[in-house]
Amino acid sequence: MRKVLFILFLLVGLTASSQCISNQSFTLTPVGPYQPGDVVVVDYTLGNFNGININWIHAFQINLGAGWTNLVPLLTPGNPAGSVGNWIWDLQNTYPGGFNFGPGWRFVNSGTVGWGTGSTGPFIMRFRITVAQTCIADDLSISMEVFDDCTTGGWANGNCCVDPAYNIYNGVVQIPPIITSNINHF
């Protein structure tokens, strides 16, 4: 009985921590750990977005640790069966309600300004990043945040979807050892 209760509480906890998003996945090419100068391609997929109170998906924000540089978008998310509009790449945007966003993709709804897209996914995107030239073990964390149009200020219908950032990678720059030649003392 105790095991059944534990499993039920675990499932409820997992469901509560992700209100609107499900089936997230990623791949890193190549797989870490990483050294200065390494170039990494990140593929991220959000399998499904189910907005609470008709909140629509509005933005994907990429959060990078200080050890990354040269963020380049490679594949823009699609808009399967979604609203009229398109995803654009944006390094920084302040929404009319004051919500600060970026870098990442945000949806520009051509029908109703400020709204996201009614698409439920899947959303597949890709970006490239480079490990900065450094001599210290800088933070190489990567995470993705998904925002709805209630969070960004375009829709105000009750509770928003407040989903935690999805962790893609945690690590630090691996500094190669400095190799010196032998010193001869004559």
Side-chain angles (χ1 to χ4, degrees):
M1 180 65 177
R2 183 174 259 172
K3 284 184 181 181
V4 171
L5 286 174
F6 174 76
I7 291 171
L8 283 174
F9 285 123
L10 179 65
L11 289 175
V12 168
L14 290 174
T15 303
S17 68
S18 293
Q19 297 179 35
C20 296
I21 55 180
S22 59
N23 301 323
Q24 296 178 88
S25 63
F26 70 90
T27 58
L28 298 170
T29 309
V31 176
Y34 304 109
Q35 296 182 3
D38 285 350
V39 176
V40 179
V41 174
V42 180
D43 288 289
Y44 167 80
T45 299
L46 171 59
N48 187 50
F49 183 88
N50 183 18
I52 295 173
N53 293 322
I54 317 171
N55 290 296
W56 289 353
I57 190 166
H58 207 185
F60 291 96
Q61 179 169 280
I62 301 167
N63 303 313
L64 299 174
W68 295 109
T69 189
N70 299 331
L71 173 60
V72 177
L74 299 175
L75 179 64
T76 302
N79 186 29
S83 307
V84 177
N86 61 301
W87 291 97
I88 64 168
W89 176 253
D90 204 340
L91 294 175
Q92 191 282 324
N93 179 63
T94 302
Y95 286 95
F99 182 78
N100 196 19
F101 162 80
W105 289 274
R106 65 182 173 94
F107 191 79
V108 177
N109 187 313
S110 307
T112 306
V113 176
W115 288 12
T117 177
S119 177
T120 59
F123 303 98
I124 301 167
M125 59 211 75
R126 177 180 299 138
F127 58 93
R128 182 178 64 227
I129 46 182
T130 304
V131 179
Q133 295 299 324
T134 183
C135 57
I136 60 173
D138 285 333
D139 176 21
L140 291 180
S141 61
I142 307 168
S143 66
M144 183 72 76
E145 282 186 279
V146 179
F147 299 116
D148 66 4
D149 52 12
C150 178
T151 302
T152 61
W155 178 251
N157 185 12
N159 293 330
C160 301
C161 301
V162 180
D163 291 299
Y166 180 70
N167 185 47
I168 294 174
Y169 184 77
N170 280 323
V172 296
V173 177
Q174 302 297 303
I175 306 301
I178 298 172
I179 299 173
T180 60
S181 61
N182 293 336
I183 299 174
N184 291 326
H185 297 282
F186 293 103

